[in-house]
Amino acid sequence: MSKIAIIGNGISGVTAARFIRKNSMHEVVLISEESEYFFSRTALMYVYMGHMRWKDIQPYERGFWKKNKIDLIQARAESIQFDKKCIQLNNGSTVNYDYLILATGSKSNKYGWPGQDLSGVRGLYHKQDLEYLERCSSGIRRAVIVGGGLIGIELAEMFQSRNIPVSFLVREPQFWSMILPEEESKMISRHILQHGIDLRLNSQLKEINGDEAGKVHSVTLDSGEEIKCDYVGLTAGVSPNIKFIESSEIETDRGILVDEYLRTNIPDVFAIGDCAQLRNPRRGRRDVEAVWYTGRMMGECVAQTICGEQKIYDPGIWFNSAKFFDIEYQVYGQVPSKMTDDLESFYWAHENGKKSIRIVYEKIQQTVVGFNLMGIRFRHEVCEQWILRKSTLDKVLEEIRLAFFDPEFYEDCSAAILENYCKKFGKKIEATAGWRLDEANLFLNKNNQKT
Ligand SMILES: Cc1cc2nc3c(=O)[nH]c(=O)nc-3n(C[C@H](O)[C@H](O)[C@H](O)COP(=O)(O)OP(=O)(O)OC[C@H]3O[C@@H](n4cnc5c(N)ncnc54)[C@H](O)[C@@H]3O)c2cc1C
């Protein structure tokens, strides 16, 4: 039996602990600073908005850890002596290990803006950030959000739920335009404005200004304009939280460098989740992917390797989902913000300006490589199978209804999409499949038998 220490009790660390327990009787100790118990970071916004209580976002009962013989230590790991396999904690104690898993997550980016450490200026990542925001909220007459990504728009929605006016600074010409293609980016920019947010495109923060007590009172933009505010949310992305080991012998770049087995350069030391950077990511995947499900997959994978069944980390085809206020967003496969020379896309938008689909395909072979969906939910497995099967654009359009959910709950736009496609491309295509789950399952099973 070995002793396994895990630093970080987020989704990746907790998944690793659970699966090590499932697969073995190894001793497991989970060290984490932020909170005693695991919680769902993705649900933080719902606590602020009053949809959930703090206890609702902790999926395991208190007794779970003891019952499963997973020891919890709430402390910060200050440093690690890798040669002695020993972790030094901020409470003065040490923890020895046979295997170590680093799962320390991300931190909010700060770019050295003047005034970034004033009181009333904070990122949104940790539980303590939310608690701080809660303490400040009653005194906020206007908030400024710096950085237009997924956390920025969540923060805008959070402020709005408390009737706090928001100015939202986005450096790019449209919201999230480094990731979203132009039409989708414009759709979401419009949507943000429709929600009464003062969205400032092409706007860069120059400095954050404070009063004599060190409390924020305004921000100055590059244009020279000053916006009065009582709170500044810094949401210009996140980066791996690895400062405490950067000067050690472990190899890092933006994150902790790992191979396909999630091994670092130090024997018996692994890194998973947001803090890990893959040396050789798979085609179509990034080296650092700060999303929930990849943390979970890495946790499961590393547990298997440590328990003796070496497993390569293979996240499959890229997917992600989020929401922009009430517009749901899903992406499967490759959807570049600007089409490359070899790719084209078919784009259809609903007349209400709040729903669209984009299907990306290879120009020459016409094979589909990606889907971008706004306000319309497609079945994940169906999209994945189309991409894996290298289905042509015509074939996907013929079968498009397979991806739709029950139209009793979701509007079935497939006829309008097909009509628009035939018109644009001068084709005659008829739907060959329905939306019913049994048809989708048949399609998936059929394909499973083939592969
Ligand atoms: C507001 C918000 C909304 C999000 N929404 C989504 C979403 O909708 N979908 C999605 O896919 N992703 C979302 N994400 C991203 C997702 O939450 C992260 O990708 C995921 O939580 C990362 O998990 P992790 O286990 O790698 O690290 P984390 O969850 O960051 O956990 C790491 C833990 O390690 C602790 N730690 C760090 N250093 C030390 C140390 N030296 N000693 C002790 N403990 C340490 C940290 O305090 C932290 O508790 C969101 C993130 C935020 C902030």
Side-chain angles (χ1 to χ4, degrees):
M1 196 171 78
S2 303
K3 179 169 177 181
I4 294 143
I6 302 170
I7 305 180
N9 72 352
I11 182 64
S12 59
V14 157
T15 307
R18 282 178 44 234
F19 277 86
I20 290 167
R21 176 55 61 251
K22 202 170 160 193
N23 300 333
S24 75
M25 281 316 295
H26 292 314
E27 198 181 326
V28 179
V29 54
L30 195 48
I31 304 160
S32 207
E33 182 187 19
E34 179 182 5
S35 62
E36 191 177 0
Y37 298 103
F38 168 63
F39 68 92
S40 170
R41 195 174 298 291
T42 58
L44 278 178
M45 71 180 293
Y46 300 108
V47 174
Y48 184 82
M49 297 199 303
H51 301 181
M52 292 173 126
R53 291 158 303 175
W54 174 248
K55 68 174 187 181
D56 299 327
I57 69 167
Q58 295 177 66
Y60 299 101
E61 285 172 11
R62 292 284 152 99
F64 174 87
W65 310 100
K66 198 162 180 205
K67 193 170 144 205
N68 286 286
K69 296 191 171 61
I70 296 170
D71 291 332
L72 304 181
I73 300 178
Q74 189 175 4
R76 182 171 66 250
E78 298 267 20
S79 60
I80 303 166
Q81 282 176 283
F82 291 110
D83 54 341
K84 298 199 168 99
K85 293 193 162 183
C86 180
I87 305 162
Q88 285 78 42
L89 303 182
N90 65 333
N91 60 14
S93 63
T94 56
V95 175
N96 288 94
Y97 62 83
D98 298 303
Y99 294 98
L100 171 63
I101 302 174
L102 298 164
T104 54
S106 296
K107 58 173 170 42
S108 304
N109 286 335
K110 283 182 169 185
Y111 288 105
W113 295 292
Q116 66 181 18
D117 296 318
L118 286 168
S119 108
V121 181
R122 190 108 177 193
L124 176 64
Y125 190 87
H126 292 107
K127 174 178 181 261
Q128 288 74 14
D129 299 329
L130 193 78
E131 289 165 348
Y132 183 75
L133 176 59
E134 187 62 66
R135 286 199 299 277
C136 295
S137 286
S138 61
I140 308 177
R141 284 158 300 176
R142 173 166 291 277
V144 168
I145 298 174
V146 182
L150 295 179
I151 299 179
I153 198 164
E154 280 194 5
L155 188 55
E157 189 176 348
M158 288 160 67
F159 283 126
Q160 216 207 22
S161 75
R162 304 240 182 145
N163 299 317
I164 297 171
V166 177
S167 296
F168 193 0
L169 311 186
V170 171
R171 197 180 47 181
E172 291 74 26
Q174 295 294 338
F175 175 79
W176 219 31
S177 56
M178 312 87 72
I179 305 286
L180 295 177
E182 193 179 352
E183 288 86 348
E184 287 91 324
S185 202
K186 284 185 172 161
M187 175 195 288
I188 302 305
S189 301
R190 260 193 332 263
H191 197 58
I192 294 171
L193 287 166
Q194 281 163 3
H195 273 78
I197 305 289
D198 171 33
L199 176 66
R200 306 292 190 96
L201 299 169
N202 295 309
S203 290
Q204 291 219 52
L205 175 68
K206 188 171 170 211
E207 59 188 313
I208 307 170
N209 312 303
D211 58 20
E212 280 163 11
K215 165 95 182 68
V216 62
H217 66 64
S218 67
V219 296
T220 307
L221 312 188
D222 257 2
S223 62
E225 186 187 353
E226 189 179 350
I227 303 175
K228 296 251 178 296
C229 61
D230 312 287
Y231 197 90
V232 177
L234 300 178
T235 58
V238 297
S239 44
N241 189 4
I242 56 169
K243 201 163 177 42
F244 80 112
I245 43 159
E246 263 171 356
S247 54
S248 73
E249 56 271 46
I250 200 158
E251 277 178 24
T252 60
D253 176 27
R254 285 187 301 135
I256 303 165
L257 290 166
V258 292
D259 66 8
E260 68 274 30
Y261 292 99
L262 307 170
R263 295 179 298 208
T264 68
N265 62 311
I266 309 227
D268 303 330
V269 180
F270 300 78
I272 58 174
D274 282 20
C275 72
Q277 179 178 351
L278 288 158
R279 289 178 193 273
N280 297 302
R282 306 220 145 200
R283 194 163 168 262
R285 305 288 312 206
R286 299 214 165 108
D287 54 359
V288 178
E289 290 181 335
V291 286
W292 186 261
Y293 74 89
T294 54
R296 203 180 51 218
M297 286 170 111
M298 284 184 173
E300 198 173 332
C301 178
V302 82
Q304 239 173 283
T305 296
I306 288 180
C307 294
E309 206 181 301
Q310 291 246 324
K311 191 166 180 219
I312 288 181
Y313 171 66
D314 178 5
I317 289 171
W318 166 249
F319 74 91
N320 198 10
S321 65
K323 70 178 193 59
F324 307 106
F325 289 94
D326 49 341
I327 296 186
E328 282 188 26
Y329 157 67
Q330 291 177 310
V331 56
Y332 302 116
Q334 276 184 67
V335 181
S337 57
K338 288 193 176 55
M339 291 305 132
T340 48
D341 286 348
D342 53 337
L343 297 179
E344 294 262 26
S345 74
F346 161 64
Y347 179 74
W348 171 87
H350 194 282
E351 59 197 10
N352 72 6
K354 291 179 183 179
K355 290 177 200 276
S356 70
I357 71 160
R358 180 182 298 278
I359 308 178
V360 182
Y361 58 96
E362 285 171 330
K363 240 185 225 173
I364 298 174
Q365 296 94 333
Q366 297 273 300
T367 48
V368 166
V369 296
F371 296 84
N372 215 42
L373 305 151
M374 295 288 181
I376 290 180
R377 219 191 265 186
F378 268 13
R379 287 187 172 120
H380 182 166
E381 299 94 323
V382 171
C383 292
E384 199 174 70
Q385 284 302 322
W386 278 326
I387 296 170
L388 288 172
R389 289 168 75 166
K390 299 187 187 301
S391 298
T392 61
L393 185 62
D394 283 356
K395 185 82 181 145
V396 167
L397 265 300
E398 267 172 37
E399 295 175 342
I400 198 86
R401 296 189 79 198
L402 287 172
F404 278 85
F405 287 82
D406 189 336
E408 258 187 59
F409 303 105
Y410 296 94
E411 185 186 350
D412 177 359
C413 308
S414 57
I417 293 169
L418 204 52
E419 194 189 321
N420 181 270
Y421 176 72
C422 290
K423 212 165 147 190
K424 262 189 194 155
F425 290 81
K427 299 212 171 185
K428 274 194 181 156
I429 286 182
E430 283 185 19
T432 58
W435 53 264
R436 286 171 37 166
L437 184 61
D438 52 354
E439 286 189 62
N441 281 342
L442 195 66
F443 162 82
L444 294 168
N445 290 339
K446 241 204 253 165
N447 186 61
N448 289 347
Q449 281 161 13
K450 272 188 195 165
T451 49

